[in-house]
Amino acid sequence: MSTLRAVKGMNDVLPEEISRWRRIEEAFWRIVGRHGYGEVRTPVVEPTALFVRSIGEATDIVEKEMYTFTDKGDHSLTLRPEGTASAVRAYVQHSVQNREPVTKWAYLGPMFRRERPARGRYRQFWQAGVEVYGDPGPFVDAEMIHMVVTLMRELGVEDVEVLINSLGSGDTRQRYLDALLAYLTPHRDALSADSQRRLETNPLRVLDSKAPEDKEIAAGAPKILDFLDEEDAAHFQELQDTLTALGTPFRVEPTLVRGLDYYSRTLFEVLGHGGELGAQNTLCGGGRYDGLVEQLGGPRTPAIGFAMGIERLLLVMGGEDAAPQPDVFVVIPHASARREAVVLLDALRAAGLTADADLRGGSTKSQFRRADKSNAKVALVAGPSELERGVVQLKDLAAGTQEEVAREEAPARARAIVFGENA
Ligand code: HAM
C-alpha cells in the first residue's frame, strides 16, 4: 500500500520550526495590539458566493484557484482563499457599525489557493492581516503601511520596498478602464494569450502580467494616476506626505493593480529582497476597498486592510530554528522508580519548570546522553535508593557539580539553578 502524504502544496510545520513562526506571530500581535486592533476569528469555510461576489468573478483566485465543494446539504462551500471577504461578512452580519464608528480587526490563519506550488507559493499558506472599517483615510492608510514596515524591521527584515498606487474611486476607475481598453485593443494580437483573455474580463490585470510581451505594451499604457479626480489625487498626495512624515520610504508604482476586484483608491505592496525569497517576493499586499461593505449588504463604509504571507516572511527573516528544550531532565536509573518519577516531574512542572524524562526507562548512560543532548540545565537522578531516603541527586549540568537534596526541595533548588533564583 502506498504511504499517504500531505496534499501537494500544503506543508507540515514541525516543532523545531515553530520558534520562528512564533516570533512572527508574537511580533504581529504585539504591534497590532499597540495600534488598538482586536483579534477576529472567522470560519475557514464560507459560502462560495461570498468570494465570487467580493474578490470578483474574473480574477485568478475565483476562476482557477478556489477549493470549492458541495457539502452533504447541497451547499456550495469554499475554503477561504483570503481573509478580507470573511471579515466583511462578519462585520455586516454582526452590525458592528452600530457599536463603534471605527473598527480595527486583526487575524492570523491558514488560507487556501490552488496555485502552482513554488518556493513561497503554497496551496495552504498562512496570512496575518488587519482590516479597518469606518475611516476613509488617508492618515490611517499611511499609518497601516508604516505599521507593516515597523513589523518587518522588528523581525530583522530591513531590505524591503514599499510600492503604492491609487486606483481612484467610482467614476475614475471606469474612465481609466475606458482609456486603457482604447489603448490595449489595437495591441491585442501582440499580447499573451492570458492577457488577451483578460482584455475581455479584467483589463487592469494586463498591467501586472509577468509576460515580457505584455510588460512592453503595459509600459506605454495610460497611467491611472493621470485620471484621478481632485479628491482622489488629494487623498493620494496626503498618503505620500504622511508616509514621508513617518520616515517610511516608498515608491509610487502606477502599474500596481493587485489581483482582487474590491480595491479602490490606496493600493500597496511590500516587496522583500534577499534571504531565500525567489520570484514570490511580495511579502504583503493590501489596499482600500471603500465599496465592499455596501456591496455585501452593509451600510456604506470605507475600509482598508492588508495581509502578509507568513511563509514568505520566514524565507527572508533569518534566525535559527530551535527545538523545545527542557530546563530539567529526570534520569530514572531503575524501571521500578518510574511511577515516582512521574510524580516528581509533576512537582517540577507545577513549580513552573519545563521538565522531561524518558519514561520508558532504559540505561542510565543513555538517559544522561539524552539529558545532555536536550540542553537541559539540570539533571535529577531519582533511583529507588534515593526515593527510599526521600532525596534526589541534582546535577548542575553546566557547572558539572552534583548535590543531594531533599525531594520536596528539588523544584526550588532546580529553579535556583535554571533561573538564577535564591533557593
Ligand atoms: P493577496 O495579495 O492576495 O491579498 O495576499 C496577501 C499576501 O499573502 C501576499 O502578499 C503573500 O505574501 C501571501 N500569499 C498570497 N498567496 C500566497 C500563496 N499561494 N502562498 C504563500 N503566500 C501567499 C489578500 O489576500 C488581501 N486579502 C489583502 C487585503 C486585506 N487587502 C485588504 N485587506
Side-chain angles (χ1 to χ4, degrees):
M1 204 167 63
S2 64
T3 48
L4 292 170
R5 300 183 58 86
V7 174
K8 187 174 172 194
M10 303 200 182
N11 301 310
D12 301 310
V13 183
L14 301 180
E16 57 270 27
E17 301 164 71
I18 282 291
S19 61
R20 297 172 70 231
W21 281 76
R22 290 255 174 99
R23 262 184 64 203
I24 296 179
E25 293 171 10
E26 282 160 15
F28 173 73
W29 290 121
R30 189 165 60 243
I31 290 195
V32 300
R34 269 184 219 155
H35 286 76
Y37 287 85
E39 181 180 358
V40 64
R41 298 188 189 185
T42 59
V44 170
V45 176
E46 296 274 2
T48 303
L50 173 64
F51 302 116
V52 177
R53 279 166 58 185
S54 55
I55 296 169
E57 218 148 347
T59 56
D60 284 351
I61 296 180
V62 170
E63 269 187 354
K64 317 191 266 216
E65 298 169 0
M66 294 206 302
Y67 283 94
T68 296
F69 60 98
T70 308
D71 78 354
K72 298 224 158 63
D74 228 14
H75 301 289
S76 179
L77 303 179
T78 293
L79 294 184
R80 63 179 181 195
E82 56 110 47
T84 308
S86 308
V88 173
R89 199 250 327 118
Y91 179 83
V92 173
Q93 181 173 335
H94 301 285
S95 303
V96 180
Q97 79 283 349
N98 293 337
R99 270 180 269 145
E100 51 195 23
V102 174
T103 296
K104 296 168 110 175
W105 280 355
Y107 52 87
L108 190 152
M111 308 292 162
F112 304 84
R113 296 184 194 174
R114 201 172 186 291
E115 295 193 73
R116 197 164 45 77
R119 187 205 303 264
R121 187 170 63 207
Y122 311 103
R123 291 179 171 180
Q124 175 182 299
F125 58 96
W126 287 67
Q127 278 188 349
V130 308
E131 313 291 345
V132 173
Y133 302 103
D135 186 331
F139 302 100
V140 72
D141 310 29
E143 188 181 56
M144 189 178 282
I145 294 170
H146 180 66
M147 181 172 80
V148 177
V149 174
T150 307
L151 173 59
M152 305 268 172
R153 193 174 307 132
E154 191 130 326
L155 291 168
V157 179
E158 302 271 359
D159 195 2
V160 298
E161 197 177 1
V162 175
L163 308 184
I164 62 171
N165 192 19
S166 175
L167 281 185
S169 47
D171 191 32
T172 308
R173 195 163 163 168
Q174 196 50 53
R175 279 188 298 120
Y176 177 65
L177 279 176
D178 294 343
L180 184 62
L181 269 177
Y183 167 79
L184 289 175
T185 307
H187 291 95
R188 191 174 195 289
D189 295 344
L191 289 168
S192 70
D194 250 358
S195 284
Q196 291 192 15
R197 204 173 39 80
R198 287 191 179 125
L199 204 53
E200 319 286 322
T201 56
N202 200 351
L204 272 185
R205 296 291 292 163
V206 176
L207 292 182
D208 67 358
S209 161
K210 299 269 186 309
E213 63 270 39
D214 296 342
K215 276 187 164 174
E216 204 171 301
I217 294 170
K223 305 279 178 275
I224 184 131
L225 294 176
D226 297 330
F227 287 73
L228 298 187
D229 66 22
E230 217 171 296
E231 271 183 48
D232 289 338
H235 192 278
F236 191 50
Q237 188 57 51
E238 186 58 59
L239 164 67
Q240 296 176 61
D241 293 346
T242 308
L243 279 174
T244 303
L246 285 166
T248 286
F250 60 88
R251 179 156 65 80
V252 174
E253 178 48 70
T255 61
L256 179 68
V257 293
R258 303 203 14 81
L260 305 101
D261 275 359
Y262 48 61
Y263 290 119
S264 55
R265 289 198 163 169
T266 307
L267 283 185
F268 63 97
E269 283 188 350
V270 178
L271 309 186
H273 299 292
E276 293 168 44
L277 267 185
Q280 315 304 322
N281 68 342
T282 309
L283 300 175
C284 157
R288 187 160 274 293
Y289 48 99
D290 291 340
L292 187 59
V293 175
E294 193 176 25
Q295 198 186 313
L296 292 180
R300 213 182 157 72
T301 309
I304 182 168
F306 77 82
M308 61 181 199
I310 295 190
E311 289 88 346
R312 290 192 191 172
L313 260 183
L314 284 166
L315 289 171
V316 275
M317 196 178 80
E320 297 289 309
D321 287 345
Q325 67 184 57
D327 300 318
V328 183
F329 199 93
V330 175
V331 173
I332 312 164
H334 193 275
S336 65
R338 287 184 295 176
R339 187 188 308 140
E340 281 306 314
V342 175
V343 176
L344 178 61
L345 283 162
D346 184 50
L348 291 164
R349 291 168 187 151
L353 289 155
T354 306
D356 207 355
D358 188 341
L359 295 176
R360 299 170 307 171
S363 82
T364 313
K365 199 167 149 205
S366 75
Q367 290 184 58
F368 265 112
R369 246 199 326 266
R370 280 199 59 181
D372 272 339
K373 211 172 147 210
S374 75
N375 279 326
K377 296 204 176 69
V378 172
L380 290 184
V381 187
S385 68
E386 278 91 7
L387 294 172
E388 212 165 89
R389 289 188 293 125
V391 298
V392 293
Q393 303 293 334
L394 185 148
K395 273 193 147 180
D396 180 332
L397 291 170
T401 53
Q402 179 165 341
E403 58 188 307
E404 188 171 283
V405 297
R407 237 196 91 165
E408 313 73 73
E409 274 155 33
R413 188 66 198 115
R415 278 191 69 99
I417 293 170
V418 171
F419 301 124
E421 292 173 353
N422 289 327

